Amino acid sequence: VEAECLTRCDDTRTALRLIGHAEDVLAEGDTDEPCPVWMDWFTPVRLAAFKGNTQLIAGHTAQARATLLAVLDNLPADDGKQRTIILGDLAAVEAAAGKPEEACRWANETLDQLSMTWYAVGMDRIRDVRK
């Protein structure tokens, strides 16, 4: 949560450091402290998805592309909402990289996914790419 706040406040360097720490904690596995019930949605794949978005915002397009493509490969098939976000972020990566054809390809995939699984956040990603 802190990393997301920092990303939105343009402190991506600290946010990426915090994400790295979260990756380390997740890699360590179980601890003596139980995980709160409200964090059952927090998985390494979702953390990586947010990392890719933070890398994009930080201007690290090559790293963002690699991270987001890996997320797409590991995302559960039934997670359509998250898929819209990842696809939209990939469109933004290609737009930022100066590759409009690739950006359009990913944007079209995002819109196809949105037609099956509506998610306002995914649509916001497409609106951002269009800007």
Side-chain angles (χ1 to χ4, degrees):
V1 171
E2 185 179 0
E4 184 169 1
C5 291
L6 289 167
T7 297
R8 303 299 170 234
C9 293
D10 293 324
D11 187 357
T12 54
R13 178 181 300 242
T14 305
L16 288 168
R17 185 179 49 74
L18 288 171
I19 292 167
H21 174 69
E23 289 171 328
D24 293 343
V25 169
L26 282 173
E28 289 173 9
D30 291 334
T31 65
D32 293 335
E33 298 178 35
C35 185
V37 175
W38 57 267
M39 283 192 64
D40 65 348
W41 57 269
F42 194 75
T43 65
V45 172
R46 285 183 183 259
L47 178 62
F50 182 70
K51 180 180 182 178
N53 180 261
T54 301
Q55 290 168 326
L56 168 63
I57 292 167
H60 305 159
T61 55
Q63 293 100 333
R65 181 184 298 111
T67 300
L68 293 167
L69 287 171
V71 168
L72 201 55
D73 287 342
N74 292 299
L75 193 65
D78 64 348
D79 202 346
K81 286 183 175 182
Q82 189 69 27
R83 187 171 305 280
T84 66
I85 294 170
I86 304 310
L87 294 169
D89 282 351
L90 282 164
V93 164
E94 299 308 342
K99 298 180 178 181
E101 294 84 7
E102 281 299 301
C104 288
R105 186 177 72 76
W106 286 114
N108 282 332
E109 258 192 76
T110 308
L111 292 170
D112 288 344
Q113 182 65 46
L114 283 165
S115 73
M116 294 181 288
T117 311
W118 175 252
Y119 192 40
V121 177
M123 191 60 173
D124 290 343
R125 293 298 214 268
I126 291 301
R127 287 185 185 110
D128 291 342
V129 169
R130 290 188 66 202
K131 289 179 188 173

